[in-house]
């Protein structure tokens, strides 16, 4: 339980700069062999960046607009175990099956259909993980490869656009910013 709590805290507090050590993935093409070969971080943390992207993508397909960081650790553990035996399966497909079977908590703080740019700008440290999740969600919802995580410039352009539109939904600004 302690391990899950620590991971959940890390998820919402993940600095966007952590992306520098990771690369944007294509959740619809990311296969199990790629997941299981991602090294743990120096601190022994699992591939949180990739997990957030895949979870956002799978959430869109399941119609769940809420980022649930508290269920990410058990899903990642189950998917990782599955992927070791089936390296050619797509992670997003496995993730969606596992996520659908997970009991999900009620509405959370970070929601694709309700979180505004002001919500993020008021608490960017806790919203950083949500930005990564929301990018995956947008790609799943809109069936696009366009991403604000292409590079630092595209991410900065999105955050700048969001700062100028505090009442706009983050998802709407993200969809317009993704190239």
């Amino acid at each position: 339980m302690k391990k899950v709590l620590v991971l959940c805290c890390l998820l919402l507090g993940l600095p966007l700069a952590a992306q520098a050590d990771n690369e944007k993935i294509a959740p619809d093409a990311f296969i199990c062999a790629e997941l299981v070969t991602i090294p743990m971080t120096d601190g022994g943390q699992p591939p949180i960046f990739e997990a957030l992207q895949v979870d956002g993508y799978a959430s869109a397909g399941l119609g769940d607009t809420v980022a649930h960081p508290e269920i990410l650790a058990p899903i990642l553990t189950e998917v990782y175990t599955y992927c070791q035996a089936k390296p050619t399966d797509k992670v997003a497909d496995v993730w969606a099956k596992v996520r659908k079977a997970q009991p999900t908590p009620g509405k959370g703080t970070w929601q694709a259909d309700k979180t505004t740019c002001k919500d993020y700008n008021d608490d960017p440290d806790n919203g950083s993980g949500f930005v990564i999740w929301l990018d995956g969600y947008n790609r799943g919802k809109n069936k696009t490869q366009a991403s604000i995580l292409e590079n630092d410039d595209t991410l900065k352009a999105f955050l700048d656009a969001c700062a100028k539109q505090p009442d706009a939904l983050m998802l709407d600004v993200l969809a317009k910013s993704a190239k």
Side-chain angles (χ1 to χ4, degrees):
M1 180 66 178
K2 185 177 177 183
K3 185 177 179 181
V4 171
L5 183 58
V6 170
L7 179 61
C8 290
C9 292
L10 287 171
L11 291 176
L12 286 179
L14 182 68
L16 287 174
Q19 180 203 350
D21 293 335
N22 299 284
E23 292 184 12
K24 172 195 78 120
I25 60 169
D28 60 335
F30 188 55
I31 63 169
C32 283
E34 293 172 291
L35 175 67
V36 300
T37 60
I38 295 173
M40 295 284 202
T41 64
D42 292 339
Q45 294 300 317
I48 296 169
F49 186 86
E50 292 81 358
L52 285 167
Q53 290 180 76
V54 173
D55 190 62
Y57 184 87
S59 295
L62 296 171
D64 188 355
T65 61
V66 182
H68 298 287
E70 57 277 5
I71 65 170
L72 200 65
I75 293 172
L76 181 56
T77 300
E78 193 170 333
V79 170
Y80 190 87
T81 300
Y82 175 95
C83 282
Q84 289 176 318
K86 306 271 186 170
T88 59
D89 286 5
K90 289 185 179 181
V91 175
D93 294 342
V94 178
W95 196 283
K97 288 177 189 170
V98 172
R99 194 177 203 286
K100 190 174 183 179
Q102 281 285 330
T104 54
K107 297 292 182 193
T109 303
W110 302 98
Q111 301 178 38
D113 61 343
K114 293 193 180 7
T115 301
T116 65
C117 288
K118 180 183 182 332
D119 297 328
Y120 173 79
N121 291 324
D122 286 349
D123 194 8
D125 291 338
N126 285 324
S128 296
F130 179 68
V131 170
I132 298 165
W133 181 91
L134 190 63
D135 187 70
Y137 181 91
N138 178 61
R139 290 190 274 161
K141 180 179 187 262
N142 293 314
K143 306 295 184 223
T144 181
Q145 290 299 316
S147 171
I148 58 160
L149 302 176
E150 287 294 332
N151 56 52
D152 289 342
D153 293 337
T154 57
L155 178 59
K156 184 180 178 333
F158 161 67
L159 294 175
D160 289 347
C162 212
K164 293 174 185 169
Q165 303 172 67
D167 295 329
L169 285 178
M170 283 185 76
L171 180 62
D172 293 343
V173 176
L174 187 146
K176 291 176 188 170
S177 297
K179 305 273 184 230

